[in-house]
């Protein structure tokens, strides 16, 4: 093992989806410049994990995936190569470990059934890495437990029980590892705000600590001041501030207010800092008080509904000799790939006159395969080569150029302009189309109209006859004048044509108006947004997503971000249901 650094830095962050990093995960890792970075809520399963995320230059990574749902939960720990762990393990129970170099020390799990243990590890909520460190010139083990604790859904009582079971199992495992010797850090999204100071707007301060999750957290954490006060009064109990772990942030910032790590993105609450502190770095008492140099939140880092939490320690990391089997670079789908350039070079075999289905990419659907072999609209595949050549000229290649024909005698390469051609027209339509264009002025009695083509009717030319010539209408250029006698002679027939055209136009307008009324009745637009009562600003439309009698109903609320009632910049309490008859 080699000594890496005299001090070490550790970061935890709920990223709300690891695939949201458009520039790649390495950019975020380099930005933190931390030895160990722990992510929660990666929302990626093993089949969707791409190589760019799994294998990052300069780091070794360890993932835990949800087994039951895709795009759900998941945690990942990235360690610099100089901070490579000596052991790594997925989950808390040990049931997911089928390799050597496991962390071990599972504690007494007798209170859980096998089914419960399997369910607790089934959602990919824990990765444990064990490192060797040098603290005060003594080599010790440091175990980092990266956890994403469940959320207790008020509408699902079984999830409340699941959360408390996860807490108990986490405490059992953490205390067992600590008892075996060395130091332990539990960090991540704990999904519980500990004290009223950690909540933007606690609704029931008197009963705040009666919440079962907060009771567990009180039992898990060691709080020196409270413990001393309770011992002096003689009312100390095993579950009152007598745990083995310390909230490191509160060690350095015991009274800081408005220090939150999570905000609602739906209400824009981050703008008003209306949030909660539910992301922690919890260390054993000896490590927290003797070796941590600092700890703080990082609200300036955006990209998620959570912000990172960082801590630095006065400990030197000792890098392991080889990566534990859980390391992603040792997965069969990634093993060795980052070192082989040959996988980027693929030999392309020459294709015959007709490509088979198997030569197309396997990711394509059957319909796409057929379309690539014989695109729709390309014409009859049985046409002769001469027919193809003829079509390439007739289909409007610019300058009379022919479309290229494949070397192997296959279908010719289509011309891009062929996709923008009008449909073929008959002789009569062709003549009318020619007259709809501006005809260059020529000498002669027909005003430059080619021989054999009739003069357009009045409605086709869209011109009025006045005096001795054509007057432009709608800004369209008129042709040369015809004689007044000729104009009068054709006036009767032209008037009949004009009446028919007006009748057709009237029916078209009537039909269009009827269709417009019909679609307005079917697809009614949104009602106009009302003004909120306090700011007199247009409200925003929301939809109820929560299961219940109001599911799917729409309502208007103030458009400003959510915040405390005392904050004038926060949204007011305006609320109005959308009347179904007006939506």
């Amino acid at each position: 093992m080699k000594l890496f650094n005299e001090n070490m830095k550790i970061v935890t962050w709920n990223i709300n989806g690891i695939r949201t990093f458009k520039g790649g995960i390495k950019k975020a890792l380099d930005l933190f410049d931390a030895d160990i970075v722990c992510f929660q809520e990666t929302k990626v399963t093993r089949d969707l994990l791409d190589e760019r995320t799994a294998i990052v230059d300069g780091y070794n990574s360890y993932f835990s995936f949800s087994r039951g749902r895709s795009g759900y939960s998941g945690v990942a720990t990235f360690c610099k190569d100089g901070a490579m762990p000596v052991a790594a393990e997925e989950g808390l129970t040990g049931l997911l470990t089928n390799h050597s170099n496991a962390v071990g020390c599972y504690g007494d799990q007798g209170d859980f059934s096998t089914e419960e243990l399997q369910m607790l590890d089934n959602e990919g909520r824990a990765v444990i890495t064990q490192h060797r460190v040098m603290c005060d010139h003594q080599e010790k083990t440091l175990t980092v437990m990266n956890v994403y604790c469940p959320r207790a859904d008020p509408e699902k009582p079984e999830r409340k029980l699941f959360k408390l079971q996860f807490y108990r199992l986490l405490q059992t495992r953490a205390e067992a590892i600590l008892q075996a010797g060395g130091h332990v850090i539990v960090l991540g999204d704990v999904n519980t705000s500990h004290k009223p100071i950690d909540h933007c707007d606690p609704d029931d301060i008197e009963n705040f600590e009666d919440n079962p999750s907060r009771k567990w957290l009180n039992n898990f954490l060691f709080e020196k001041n409270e413990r001393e006060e309770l011992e002096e009064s003689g009312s100390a109990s095993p579950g009152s501030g007598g745990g083995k772990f310390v909230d490191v942030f509160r060690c350095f910032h015991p009274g800081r207010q408005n220090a939150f790590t999570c905000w609602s993105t739906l209400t824009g609450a981050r703008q008003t800092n209306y949030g909660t502190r539910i992301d922690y770095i919890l260390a054993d008492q000896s490590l927290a008080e003797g070796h941590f140099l600092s700890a703080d939140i990082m609200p300036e880092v955006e990209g998620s509904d959570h912000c990172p939490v960082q801590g630095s320690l006065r400990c030197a990391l000792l890098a392991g000799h080889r990566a534990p089997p859980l390391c992603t670079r040792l997965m069969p789908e990634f093993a060795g790939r980052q070192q082989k350039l040959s996988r980027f070079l693929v030999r392309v075999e020459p294709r015959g006159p007709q490509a088979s289905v198997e030569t197309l990419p396997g990711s394509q659907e059957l319909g796409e395969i057929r379309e690539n072999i014989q695109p729709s609209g390309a014409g009859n595949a049985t046409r002769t080569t001469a027919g193809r050549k003829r079509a390439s000229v007739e289909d409007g290649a610019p300058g009379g150029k022919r479309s290229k024909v494949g070397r192997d005698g296959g279908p010719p390469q289509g011309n891009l302009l062929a996709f923008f051609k009008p449909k073929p027209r008959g002789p009569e339509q062709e003549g009318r189309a020619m007259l709809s264009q501006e005809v260059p002025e020529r000498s002669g009695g027909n005003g430059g109209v080619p021989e054999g083509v009739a003069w357009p009717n009045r409605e086709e030319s869209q011109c009025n006859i006045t005096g001795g010539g054509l007057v432009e209408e709608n800004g369209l250029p008129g042709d040369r004048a015809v004689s007044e006698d000729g104009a009068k002679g054709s006036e009767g027939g032209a008037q009949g044509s004009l009446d028919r055209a007006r009748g057709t136009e009237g029916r078209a307008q009537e039909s269009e108006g009827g269709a417009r009324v019909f679609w307005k009745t079917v697809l009614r637009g949104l009602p106009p947004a009302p003004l909120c009562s306090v700011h007199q600003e247009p409200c925003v439309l929301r939809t109820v997503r929560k299961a219940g009698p109001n599911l799917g109903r729409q309502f208007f609320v103030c458009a400003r971000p959510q915040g405390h009632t005392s904050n004038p910049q926060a949204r007011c309490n305006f609320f109005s249901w959308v009347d179904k008859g007006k939506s």
Side-chain angles (χ1 to χ4, degrees):
M1 298 182 184
K2 105 177 158 174
L3 190 64
F4 178 54
N5 196 354
E6 293 183 359
N7 297 328
M8 64 173 289
K9 181 180 178 182
I10 191 165
V11 171
T12 176
W13 190 18
N14 180 317
I15 55 176
N16 194 22
I18 199 167
R19 288 181 290 175
T20 60
F21 288 98
K22 303 301 182 184
I25 196 70
K26 179 173 173 55
K27 184 177 180 180
L29 293 171
D30 291 344
L31 176 67
F32 290 130
D33 191 26
D35 304 298
I36 302 173
V37 181
C38 299
F39 295 124
Q40 300 88 43
E41 207 170 355
T42 57
K43 294 184 178 180
V44 64
T45 48
R46 180 166 177 172
D47 60 315
L48 298 177
L49 183 65
D50 61 274
E51 185 173 349
R52 187 181 67 168
T53 303
I55 310 242
V56 180
D57 185 34
Y59 295 85
N60 51 99
S61 60
Y62 308 85
F63 279 74
S64 180
F65 310 100
S66 173
R67 266 81 173 163
R69 294 170 56 183
S70 180
Y72 175 74
S73 189
V75 297
T77 298
F78 285 78
C79 307
K80 282 187 176 179
D81 287 341
M84 184 177 294
V86 295
E89 188 175 327
E90 180 184 7
L92 298 174
T93 65
L95 298 177
L96 302 179
T97 303
N98 56 3
H99 55 76
S100 59
N101 293 85
V103 176
C105 304
Y106 301 101
D108 184 7
Q109 300 179 356
D111 293 339
F112 303 93
S113 66
T114 303
E115 292 76 14
E116 288 175 336
L117 292 174
Q118 290 175 343
M119 289 298 297
L120 290 169
D121 265 354
N122 200 40
E123 296 184 354
R125 294 185 175 275
V127 160
I128 305 175
T129 56
Q130 194 167 69
H131 309 259
R132 302 294 293 177
V133 294
M134 188 71 72
C135 298
D136 294 335
H137 306 289
Q138 292 183 348
E139 184 177 328
K140 296 183 178 180
T141 62
L142 172 62
T143 304
V144 178
M145 305 181 70
N146 176 11
V147 295
Y148 175 40
C149 298
R151 171 181 172 269
D153 191 337
E155 303 297 323
K156 297 179 180 179
E158 68 277 8
R159 293 302 293 181
K160 293 182 181 180
L161 176 61
F162 184 83
K163 179 177 183 178
L164 293 176
Q165 287 180 323
F166 188 91
Y167 280 156
R168 287 168 46 212
L169 182 62
L170 172 61
Q171 184 170 1
T172 299
R173 184 74 190 274
E175 291 180 352
I177 297 174
L178 183 61
Q179 188 175 2
H183 296 296
V184 177
I185 294 177
V186 178
L187 78 173
D189 182 356
V190 180
N191 250 321
T192 296
S193 54
H194 185 208
K195 298 290 184 181
I197 195 176
D198 301 315
H199 199 289
C200 62
D201 196 9
D203 53 358
D204 189 3
I205 297 181
E206 293 183 0
N207 302 317
F208 189 82
E209 296 189 4
D210 291 340
N211 181 282
S213 297
R214 295 189 179 98
K215 285 184 176 180
W216 170 82
L217 198 51
N218 282 335
N219 182 48
F220 186 69
L221 295 180
F222 174 87
E223 296 178 80
K224 184 175 181 180
N225 295 336
E226 289 189 15
R227 185 65 179 174
E228 291 175 351
E229 292 176 1
L230 291 172
E231 288 177 348
E232 290 177 0
S233 63
S235 58
S237 61
S240 55
K244 296 179 171 57
F245 292 86
V246 173
D247 180 356
V248 181
F249 173 80
R250 284 301 175 199
C251 280
F252 292 93
H253 314 281
R256 184 194 290 185
Q257 297 183 348
N258 301 319
F260 306 132
T261 63
C262 181
W263 306 265
S264 171
T265 55
L266 180 63
T267 61
R270 192 164 187 166
Q271 300 178 42
T272 56
N273 195 25
Y274 191 75
T276 56
R277 190 174 73 95
I278 59 177
D279 302 87
Y280 300 87
I281 296 177
L282 310 175
D284 65 85
Q285 181 184 356
S286 174
L287 184 67
E289 297 178 355
H291 300 285
F292 262 89
L293 299 173
S294 65
D296 210 343
I297 61 174
M298 305 172 69
E300 70 279 3
V301 179
E302 299 182 348
S304 172
D305 55 341
H306 293 246
C307 78
V309 182
Q310 66 174 348
S312 59
L313 300 83
R314 187 172 53 248
C315 293
L317 280 160
L318 304 171
H321 292 296
R322 62 178 62 88
L326 186 65
C327 186
T328 52
R329 70 175 59 169
L330 300 180
M331 291 180 177
E333 57 265 43
F334 301 125
R337 288 190 175 186
Q338 73 278 15
Q339 300 173 354
K340 295 182 179 179
L341 182 62
S342 60
R343 72 182 187 88
F344 295 100
L345 307 176
V346 180
R347 181 180 179 183
V348 180
E349 298 291 344
R351 295 188 296 174
Q354 293 184 350
S356 62
V357 173
E358 288 73 18
T359 60
L360 294 170
S363 62
Q364 290 182 309
E365 299 293 339
L366 183 59
E368 294 177 298
I369 294 174
R370 293 198 185 107
E371 180 71 15
N372 282 338
I373 295 178
Q374 181 180 351
S376 59
N380 192 340
T382 59
R383 291 194 301 179
T384 61
T385 304
R388 292 195 192 99
K389 293 180 179 180
R390 219 171 22 250
S392 66
V393 177
E394 295 172 356
D395 286 350
K401 295 182 181 180
R402 300 181 179 180
S403 301
K404 296 181 180 179
V405 180
R407 301 176 192 173
D408 53 2
Q413 178 180 353
N415 190 289
L416 181 61
L417 296 180
F419 292 96
F420 302 97
K421 300 192 321 311
K423 295 182 180 180
R425 295 174 291 200
E428 182 179 355
Q429 294 172 320
E430 197 68 40
R432 297 164 82 93
M434 293 175 63
L435 289 170
S436 65
Q437 303 174 2
E438 181 180 358
V439 182
E441 180 180 353
R442 296 183 184 180
S443 61
N446 61 355
V449 179
E451 296 182 2
V453 179
W455 185 264
N457 293 330
R458 185 187 300 264
E459 63 268 25
E460 292 172 342
S461 65
Q462 298 200 359
C463 296
N464 290 330
I465 300 178
T466 304
L470 297 177
V471 180
E472 297 179 8
E473 181 178 313
N474 298 329
L476 298 175
D479 287 301
R480 283 294 175 187
V482 294
S483 67
E484 185 176 355
D485 294 339
K488 292 179 179 178
S490 61
E491 186 175 353
Q495 182 65 42
S497 300
L498 181 59
D499 293 340
R500 287 193 298 273
R502 287 173 177 172
T504 303
E505 182 180 357
R507 288 192 297 272
Q509 291 177 351
E510 181 179 355
S511 175
E512 182 180 354
R516 188 180 296 111
V517 172
F518 168 76
W519 284 111
K520 279 187 176 181
T521 59
V522 175
L523 302 175
R524 283 180 283 206
L526 295 174
L531 301 180
C532 66
S533 55
V534 176
H535 309 105
Q536 292 298 304
E537 297 173 350
C539 295
V540 292
L541 186 66
R542 303 291 189 196
T543 303
V544 178
R545 302 297 182 189
K546 186 178 180 180
N550 292 323
L551 179 64
R553 288 192 65 183
Q554 293 180 312
F555 58 94
F556 283 106
V557 293
C558 178
R560 294 200 177 193
Q562 186 182 19
H564 198 274
T565 54
S566 62
N567 186 350
Q569 301 302 321
R571 74 181 184 188
C572 61
N573 59 356
F574 179 87
F575 179 91
S576 176
W577 288 111
V578 174
D579 188 354
K580 291 184 178 180
K582 297 181 181 179
S583 62

